[in-house]
Amino acid sequence: TPVSYDYVIVGAGTSGLVIANRLSELSNVTVAVIEAGDSVYNNVNVSSTTGYGLAFGTEIDWAYQTTNQSFGGDVVQTMRAGKAIGGTSTINGMAYTRAEDIQIDAWEALGNAGWSWEVLFPYYKKSQQLQVPTEAQAAAGVTYDAADNGFNGPLKVGWNPALNVGDVHTVLNETYAALGVQWNEDVNSGRMVGYNRYPSHIDVALNVREDAGRAYYYPIANRTNLHLYPNTLAHRMTWDTTAQIPTANGVVVQAVNSTTPYTISANKEVILSAGALASPLLLELSGVGNPAILSKYNISTVVDLPTVGENLQDQTNTGLAIDTADNTSYSGTSDYVAYPTAADIFGSEITNISATVLAALPSYAATVAAASGNVTKASDLLSFFKIQHELIFSTTHPVPIAEVLLTPSGTAVDCEYWALLPFARGNIHITSATPGVPAAINPNYYMLDWDVTGQIQVAKFIREIFATAPFAGLLGTETKPGFDVVPQNATTAQWQAWNNGVYRSNFHPVATAAMMPKEVGGVVDTSLKVYGTANVRVIDASVLPFQVCGHLVSTLYAVAERAADLIKSEM
Ligand SMILES: Cc1cc2nc3c(=O)[nH]c(=O)nc-3n(C[C@H](O)[C@H](O)[C@H](O)COP(=O)(O)OP(=O)(O)OC[C@H]3O[C@@H](n4cnc5c(N)ncnc54)[C@H](O)[C@@H]3O)c2cc1C
């Protein structure tokens, strides 16, 4: 029997389930959600609140592979993403940190009217239900500002019951202050710089991960106007051939246990929420993209939009480790985060570095444009890069430039870190007209000097943290990389050689269907509608035009909440 709904959403992930929930609040609207994965409600690799990584490599991890990273050590990297009801929020690190206010304002400066911090801030709060810290956690340094948090939204946010409540926090706080990184009362206020004990997306009472399924889907799963198709792969959109402007009227899908594709019809809109590494591919498989790529696979062009899949921005993640002094052992989750500025980590070199990077921007733009076959324009990239340079090097209000996570665990302290704002941009494209065939994903890690310098300078800064009192008193010998591998006075080349062998994707891909004016290479407009189509939207990490300094889900929930209101306002 033919099936049809008003709105067909592809991807029951972080963003898609927000849209499904908010649209199906209207009882006269019918909604379908197509999801390749299954329910993970009872999967302990998901629900465990101390089990980060348990789901990696299992059937709920897409484990996408990049192309060979020729600037980044000639290696292939794995880009993880969740394949389940709840999407990547079911396998991620659960960190809940937002963005710097001025970097959301930069979306508006780019030409996206109506997308500013002031507009998005209420949507962060709308999605959030803060569970306040326990007395013991408050005594161990956890703070928050009630004015910056939501208390009535679907998404439970709070501090892990296993949080380390010992005195490491006090020691770290003094150490960071000695390095100029001050305590930040609430990292989610739009001002991220400083040291903080960040919250997670977690159901504190049940002590389970609060993923998008638990927050936005299971509580309303019995709505009769909402139908979720699990274990079902979306292949492509279908088009109304009688319409003047390309109008999607359905999605071809196939259940995993079947060999027969069928079509789920859309009366009003198709919404792609398959993630930054899947939504652009669905556009291409449906004939929306670069004709030069589509024709290679005999896909007829429905909308000529060459920047589909371009502008891919990710970060890279590296780790240092050091033994504790006297084999002292630590337990519990840590959630000690520092967001230093460029001035914090470059010290007296800051003015030189700022000038050097500024002077290099035209060549960065030319390099990135050339790597896309000039589909993205060097002049447009240069204007984006100037905005990014100003965010990083502003002398009055800089954004943070790195995330530093210290985790005392057993008799070691692990320290994961990543530079937040590389300039490199890559792309993702189909390699076949057959749905499900792996794509060519190229983030171009370490393509530009700044991307290398930034990552290495954070490592040097972490060595300073290790060497600064009072934290230094808790520590023994550095084991990763260790001074035998990377000496104290190592050159950039020595650091880079080590880094190339140990780095990974930071799993924060964005911008592959960026919200920007069409003239500068945007794929969606400010209502997240795909240019040249009447009724196709992309609502997921693909649309963020710039990387943000926080982890992604809080911002994605906020963007999806606002997008749902925009769709409703057009009904
Ligand atoms: C290991 C890891 C750790 C992370 N840690 C954090 C963290 O601590 N905090 C944080 O905020 N962010 C973190 N992130 C990032 C964050 O989780 C993601 O950016 C975010 O969840 C992406 O949301 P989305 O809506 O764009 O897509 P997703 O949540 O990935 O949803 C996409 C959905 O679409 C489905 N899908 C894809 N293709 C198809 C198809 N063809 N047919 C049908 N369904 C399809 C997928 O199965 C998936 O369910 C992490 C990411 C990873 C991978």
Side-chain angles (χ1 to χ4, degrees):
T1 46
V3 278
S4 81
Y5 300 86
D6 294 329
Y7 295 86
V8 177
I9 301 166
V10 179
T14 312
S15 310
L17 289 177
V18 176
I19 305 297
N21 179 316
R22 294 305 185 190
L23 294 186
S24 64
E25 283 174 339
L26 306 174
S27 56
N28 60 340
V29 162
T30 57
V31 180
V33 194
I34 301 158
E35 170 53 47
D38 204 348
S39 167
V40 287
Y41 195 87
N42 295 314
N43 182 334
V44 291
N45 293 339
V46 171
S47 56
S48 165
T49 56
T50 52
Y52 179 59
L54 290 176
F56 295 176
T58 71
E59 72 285 357
I60 68 164
D61 176 9
W62 286 98
Y64 300 120
Q65 302 295 297
T66 68
T67 58
N68 181 56
Q69 291 304 287
S70 55
F71 308 102
D74 270 327
V75 293
V76 166
Q77 291 287 352
T78 297
M79 297 183 82
R80 303 195 185 282
K83 182 183 187 179
I85 295 175
T88 305
S89 73
T90 68
I91 68 165
N92 74 6
M94 292 166 48
Y96 183 91
T97 64
R98 294 174 180 166
E100 186 79 8
D101 51 9
I102 52 171
Q103 69 190 162
I104 304 297
D105 291 341
W107 299 2
E108 189 158 54
L110 203 59
N112 295 306
W115 287 93
S116 61
W117 175 260
E118 199 190 14
V119 170
L120 205 58
F121 187 55
Y123 287 105
Y124 282 106
K125 295 208 275 187
K126 181 178 184 184
S127 70
Q128 183 197 18
Q129 187 183 130
L130 188 75
Q131 307 147 103
V132 301
T134 63
E135 269 177 41
Q137 290 173 338
V142 173
T143 57
Y144 69 97
D145 185 341
D148 293 321
N149 291 275
F151 293 86
N152 301 307
L155 183 79
K156 297 192 175 85
V157 172
W159 287 267
N160 200 309
L163 193 80
N164 183 321
V165 290
D167 53 13
V168 176
H169 158 69
T170 313
V171 170
L172 268 180
N173 199 15
E174 285 175 32
T175 305
Y176 276 125
L179 292 166
V181 179
Q182 305 301 329
W183 177 247
N184 181 345
E185 179 84 8
D186 193 327
V187 71
N188 287 316
S189 62
R191 297 297 178 115
M192 302 186 70
V193 171
Y195 161 57
N196 183 262
R197 297 201 79 176
Y198 65 89
S200 299
H201 47 91
I202 183 173
D203 182 327
V204 174
L206 297 180
N207 194 19
V208 294
R209 168 193 296 268
E210 177 82 340
D211 57 54
R214 285 183 186 262
Y216 279 92
Y217 176 65
Y218 294 109
I220 54 103
N222 62 356
R223 285 183 191 159
T224 53
N225 59 335
L226 172 65
H227 192 112
L228 193 150
Y229 294 77
N231 300 308
T232 303
L233 188 74
H235 286 187
R236 60 174 65 85
M237 292 180 280
T238 56
W239 301 98
D240 174 356
T241 48
T242 64
Q244 288 198 322
I245 303 174
T247 304
N249 60 6
V251 178
V252 178
V253 305
Q254 187 174 334
V256 289
N257 59 2
S258 159
T259 51
T260 317
Y262 65 103
T263 301
I264 297 178
S265 299
N267 306 327
K268 292 205 162 92
E269 292 193 15
V270 173
I271 295 160
L272 302 179
S273 299
L277 302 179
S279 290
L281 306 176
L282 286 161
L283 287 172
E284 291 185 335
L285 290 168
S286 310
V288 180
N290 185 345
I293 293 171
L294 305 185
S295 61
K296 264 199 255 177
Y297 307 109
N298 293 321
I299 298 171
S300 4
T301 299
V302 177
V303 180
D304 179 346
L305 199 55
T307 49
V308 168
E310 297 296 331
N311 285 308
L312 169 61
Q313 297 162 54
D314 190 17
Q315 304 146 329
T316 58
N317 182 305
T318 320
L320 261 58
I322 191 164
D323 285 336
T324 61
D326 310 321
N327 279 329
T328 307
S329 189
Y330 296 90
S331 62
T333 64
S334 305
D335 311 344
Y336 309 112
V337 70
Y339 285 111
T341 62
D344 293 332
I345 71 164
F346 285 100
S348 59
E349 283 297 301
I350 184 67
T351 315
N352 277 342
I353 295 281
S354 173
T356 308
V357 175
L358 188 63
L361 295 184
S363 87
Y364 288 0
T367 305
V368 171
S372 78
N374 294 306
V375 162
T376 55
K377 303 276 174 296
S379 53
D380 296 330
L381 289 163
L382 182 57
S383 66
F384 310 156
F385 289 178
K386 282 183 178 160
I387 293 175
Q388 184 166 328
H389 181 275
E390 175 60 21
L391 290 170
I392 296 171
F393 292 105
S394 164
T395 49
T396 50
H397 181 179
V399 303
I401 196 55
E403 174 157 337
V404 177
L405 293 169
L406 285 165
T407 309
S409 171
T411 56
V413 176
D414 291 316
C415 183
E416 271 190 29
Y417 62 92
W418 54 97
L420 291 163
L421 297 172
F423 282 92
R425 286 162 184 238
N427 44 47
I428 172 169
H429 294 294
I430 51 169
T431 61
S432 160
T434 307
V437 170
I441 307 175
N442 182 8
N444 280 322
Y445 294 128
Y446 301 125
M447 182 187 224
L448 305 166
D449 291 346
W450 164 255
D451 307 346
V452 177
T453 314
Q455 191 77 2
I456 287 174
Q457 193 67 25
V458 189
K460 293 182 185 171
F461 178 69
I462 291 163
R463 278 192 167 166
E464 262 187 75
I465 301 172
F466 288 167
T468 302
F471 192 44
L474 302 184
L475 304 175
T477 308
E478 183 187 291
T479 55
K480 197 177 151 194
F483 289 95
D484 50 337
V485 176
V486 180
Q488 177 66 19
N489 57 356
T491 61
T492 300
Q494 282 173 301
W495 272 109
Q496 196 177 0
W498 169 73
N499 188 76
N500 277 346
V502 295
Y503 82 95
R504 64 164 171 83
S505 163
N506 198 43
F507 311 137
H508 286 183
V510 300
T512 51
M515 173 177 66
M516 299 195 289
K518 186 159 186 265
E519 318 80 78
V520 299
V523 172
V524 300
D525 66 16
T526 53
S527 63
L528 307 187
K529 217 173 261 175
V530 177
Y531 288 113
T533 74
N535 67 340
V536 178
R537 292 185 217 245
V538 180
I539 305 176
D540 61 24
S542 315
V543 301
L544 269 51
F546 287 133
Q547 188 59 263
V548 292
C549 291
H551 292 246
L552 293 176
V553 297
S554 53
T555 297
L556 297 177
Y557 285 126
V559 166
E561 286 279 13
R562 173 147 198 268
D565 272 0
L566 290 172
I567 297 171
K568 285 177 172 175
S569 73
E570 288 180 30
M571 282 177 186

